[in-house]
Amino acid sequence: MKIIAPRLHGFIDYILVVFLLLSPTLFGMTGLLANLTYALGAIHLLLTVFTGFSLGVIKVVPFPIHGLIELVVGIALIVCAFTLFRMHTLGHFFYAGLGIAVLLVWILTDYNKKD
């Protein structure tokens, strides 16, 4: 059931960017965990700004490609949680939860709908 339209997805993306950029400070992240989280926030901001939907600014990346990228990122986040951060409790739970959230939004978003 695809209940998230492109415009709502855009709002979710911008909220996610703010969350990612604030997370190192909010959760006391340091080192690789903090740097990866900041990088992920910056990259997700770029993806959102360059996506061809109503909240995109430059509109170069088609929305279905945006969805494919998010699918890959969601899976990669879970892999990172169980490999890169398996011995780091905060990193493990943060990246596993983030990956699940990204995949949930991916499942619920209609990437073929025009907004």
Side-chain angles (χ1 to χ4, degrees):
M1 179 165 68
K2 306 288 186 177
I3 60 173
I4 299 177
R7 184 170 177 80
L8 176 57
H9 186 99
F11 283 116
I12 292 168
D13 278 352
Y14 284 113
I15 291 167
L16 176 60
V17 167
V18 171
F19 174 74
L20 288 169
L21 295 177
L22 291 176
S23 287
T25 301
L26 292 173
F27 299 114
M29 296 176 182
T30 59
L32 177 64
L33 180 59
N35 291 335
L36 189 59
T37 304
Y38 284 130
L40 187 60
I43 291 166
H44 202 80
L45 176 61
L46 289 173
L47 175 62
T48 304
V49 166
F50 281 91
T51 296
F53 60 178
S54 63
L55 295 180
V57 178
I58 299 176
K59 302 180 192 293
V60 179
V61 178
F63 194 46
I65 301 300
H66 176 109
L68 181 61
I69 293 167
E70 286 186 337
L71 171 62
V72 171
V73 167
I75 293 167
L77 291 171
I78 293 170
V79 169
C80 282
F82 287 95
T83 57
L84 192 59
F85 297 119
R86 73 178 183 275
M87 301 303 284
H88 189 288
T89 305
L90 174 60
H92 174 78
F93 286 109
F94 183 83
Y95 274 83
L98 187 59
I100 291 167
V102 168
L103 290 176
L104 181 62
V105 170
W106 179 82
I107 289 168
L108 296 175
T109 297
D110 187 349
Y111 288 99
N112 294 313
K113 186 175 183 178
K114 303 291 180 197
D115 63 338

